């Protein structure tokens, strides 16, 4: 029997709550499927670790997870520690050196969930946003000088490489081709950002030539926000820069009903390094410790992990279980307007796994 080695990094806040729930669900799924098992290693990295050790993860942290088959991540973000320290010290400290350059964010309105868009019942909104996850605006290039003086100055330089843009475009076109509608929107801002984003557009057109069966269009990011709200049915697969897709995907999550549902995969498509799966939400300081965090975003991320590991039947079984549970408002957490708790949703998904396709 195949045993997958999973590195679980719950992190901070509700990250610890939803990852615990996710691991329970994965164990139940493996037991039901029978063909594979998980070996889970838990790493207590994050804000509490930082308070003890002065860093978010050990110096050899990446070495410790380098040979795992996948990483299940919660959230980095602690009320007492600046956000740029927690983000760069943990999440980006894994994503960037592991070259997880393709961040994939599916968005659908699941059964039983109400979109805030009144004209959307479900099928009108079925997107996958591909976020460039290794460079661009979040390359980390820049600096500060004259700190604390009146002449203080700071720069954040967006860094776009031909290789980096080409590989994310190829990934996005290939993903668009794999979906029924074979449609890709390339998000840009080449009117105002006249160097890097003009190159971005040029490379999109070059890569598109290799995918004649994919219908693609180009859209400025500000106009894209409007299209997402007004004409969601015209969108299928989307590719955007690190910053643009970061913002667009939170909007997408909200339009699909709640940030608490939205999953993401940080992929190293060449599989030279482990890929990382996580809900897109953060630590949610306002609800942490209350037992009401919605675990669905983590469960759906686990579905993406199963797909990546090459367990399509397990992925389908888990997604089917998730959709059965969201269809029942008795299992909606407060972010969805319900009164269920994290444990109720987790138990219901585990029960549905046991029953699904029985
Ligand atoms: P957030 O995602 O933590 O919360 C935004 C809002 O959505 C809050 O009202 C929260 O209660 C709600 N929410 C989020 N997830 C939910 C869930 N599963 N169930 C129910 N409600 C949910 O974003 P924020 O408040 O901007 O950030 C809080 C902290 O998390 C910050 O430190 C930030 O840097 C960090 N953060 C980390 C990540 C990450 O590690 N990937 C992502 C986003 C934010
Ligand atoms: Mn974000």
């Amino acid at each position: 029997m195949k045993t997958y080695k999973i590195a679980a990094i719950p992190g901070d806040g509700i990250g610890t709550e939803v990852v615990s729930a996710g691991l329970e669900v994965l164990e139940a799924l493996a037991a039901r499927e029978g063909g594979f098992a998980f070996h889970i290693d838990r790493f207590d990295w994050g804000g509490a670790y930082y308070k003890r050790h002065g860093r978010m993860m050990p110096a050899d942290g990446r070495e410790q997870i380098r040979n795992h088959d996948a990483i299940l991540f919660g959230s980095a973000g602690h009320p007492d520690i600046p956000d740029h320290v927690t983000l760069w010290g943990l999440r980006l400290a894994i994503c960037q050196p592991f070259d997880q350059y393709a961040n994939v964010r599916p968005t659908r309105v699941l059964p039983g969930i109400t979109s805030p868009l009144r004209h959307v019942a479900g099928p009108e909104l079925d997107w996958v946003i591909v976020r460039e996850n290794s460079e661009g605006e979040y390359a980390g290039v820049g600096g500060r000088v004259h700190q604390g003086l009146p002449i203080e100055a700071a720069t954040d330089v967006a860094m776009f490489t031909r290789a980096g843009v080409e590989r994310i475009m190829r990934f996005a076109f290939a993903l668009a081709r794999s979906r029924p509608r074979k449609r890709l929107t390339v998000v840009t801002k080449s009117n105002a950002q006249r160097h890097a984003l003009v190159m971005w557009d040029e490379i999109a057109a070059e890569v598109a030539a290799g995918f004649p069966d994919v219908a693609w269009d180009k859209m400025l990011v500000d106009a894209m926000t409007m299209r997402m709200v007004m004409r969601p049915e015209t969108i299928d697969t989307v590719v955007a820069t690190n910053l643009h897709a970061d913002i667009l995907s939170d909007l997408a999550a909200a339009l699909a009903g709640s940030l608490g549902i939205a999953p993401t995969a940080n992929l190293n498509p060449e599989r030279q390094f482990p890929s990382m799966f996580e809900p897109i939400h953060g630590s949610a300081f306002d609800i942490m410790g209350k037992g009401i965090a919605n675990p669905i975003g983590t469960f759906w991320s686990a579905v993406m992990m199963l797909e990546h590991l090459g367990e399509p039947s397990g992925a389908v079984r888990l997604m089917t279980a998730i959709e059965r549970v969201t269809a029942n408002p008795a299992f909606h957490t407060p972010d969805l307007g319900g009164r269920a708790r994290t444990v109720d949703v987790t138990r219901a998904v585990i029960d549905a796994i046991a029953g699904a396709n029985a």
Side-chain angles (χ1 to χ4, degrees):
M1 183 160 68
K2 174 89 186 135
T3 297
Y4 296 109
K5 262 183 89 181
I6 307 299
I9 307 175
D12 303 313
I14 66 167
T16 60
E17 304 169 35
V18 294
V19 166
S20 291
L23 294 175
E24 273 183 63
V25 161
L26 281 170
E27 296 283 10
L29 183 81
R32 177 67 179 82
E33 284 283 313
F36 59 88
F38 294 109
H39 172 92
I40 312 275
D41 291 313
R42 257 177 187 269
F43 298 87
D44 65 343
W45 305 339
Y49 186 94
Y50 181 92
K51 289 191 153 182
R52 294 195 304 275
H53 302 282
R55 47 188 308 150
M56 293 291 286
M57 63 193 270
D60 70 343
R62 274 191 306 274
E63 278 315 302
Q64 296 184 32
I65 57 176
R66 170 79 177 77
N67 294 314
H68 284 72
D69 294 304
I71 304 163
L72 185 66
F73 189 83
S75 166
H78 190 285
D80 306 339
I81 306 170
D83 285 342
H84 66 274
V85 172
T86 53
L87 183 69
W88 282 94
L90 188 57
R91 194 174 163 275
L92 293 181
I94 295 171
C95 281
Q96 296 203 339
F98 281 175
D99 209 18
Q100 295 165 347
Y101 64 84
N103 183 226
V104 180
R105 302 181 160 206
T107 308
R108 276 194 293 128
V109 184
L110 298 184
I113 309 285
T114 310
S115 167
L117 296 177
R118 68 176 180 278
H119 51 287
V120 168
E124 301 84 355
L125 199 163
D126 182 355
W127 306 334
V128 183
I129 298 179
V130 176
R131 168 179 175 183
E132 200 299 312
N133 210 31
S134 70
E135 54 174 34
E137 307 87 343
Y138 297 176
V141 178
R144 286 175 74 170
V145 289
H146 311 308
Q147 273 194 49
L149 300 176
I151 55 167
E152 180 165 359
T155 59
D156 269 297
V157 179
M159 185 63 66
F160 288 84
T161 65
R162 173 164 283 276
V165 177
E166 238 174 60
R167 66 184 184 176
I168 199 66
M169 289 297 170
R170 279 190 203 294
F171 182 91
F173 272 96
L175 182 64
R177 172 184 271 171
S178 76
R179 289 171 49 87
R181 292 205 285 166
K182 302 189 194 305
R183 176 185 292 275
L184 178 70
T185 299
V186 176
V187 173
T188 186
K189 190 65 194 175
S190 48
N191 54 345
Q193 296 175 287
R194 60 185 179 163
H195 307 294
L197 277 280
V198 172
M199 182 179 82
W200 170 268
D201 291 1
E202 287 170 9
I203 294 173
E206 288 165 23
V207 171
F211 293 84
D213 51 336
V214 174
W216 73 289
D217 65 339
K218 205 171 74 179
M219 189 118 215
L220 296 175
V221 64
D222 38 354
M224 188 65 180
T225 60
M226 201 167 72
R227 177 165 163 198
M228 286 168 68
V229 172
M230 305 302 289
R231 291 185 296 130
E233 70 286 351
T234 66
I235 299 169
D236 188 75
T237 309
V238 176
V239 61
T241 70
N242 213 330
L243 170 68
H244 293 164
D246 185 6
I247 299 167
L248 293 180
S249 56
D250 271 30
L251 173 60
L255 297 178
S258 170
L259 192 55
I261 292 173
T264 188
N266 300 282
L267 300 179
N268 174 248
E270 291 74 24
R271 296 173 187 257
Q272 291 159 321
F273 301 96
S275 293
M276 182 159 85
F277 303 82
E278 53 167 346
I280 86 166
H281 64 73
S283 302
F285 305 143
D286 50 339
I287 59 164
M288 64 183 182
K290 294 186 177 161
I292 54 168
N294 191 340
I296 297 288
T298 304
F299 299 163
W300 193 348
S301 303
V303 171
M304 299 183 81
M305 187 174 96
L306 289 160
E307 286 165 352
H308 181 76
L309 292 172
E311 294 295 343
S313 130
V316 168
R317 187 187 298 280
L318 179 52
M319 198 67 215
T320 305
I322 290 169
E323 296 190 7
R324 275 199 199 168
V325 169
T326 61
N328 184 347
F331 296 123
H332 287 183
T333 42
D335 54 304
L336 295 171
R339 304 209 320 202
R341 303 177 59 77
T342 312
V343 290
D344 304 326
V345 184
T346 307
R347 175 49 49 197
V349 169
I350 289 172
D351 289 347
I353 288 168
N357 314 325

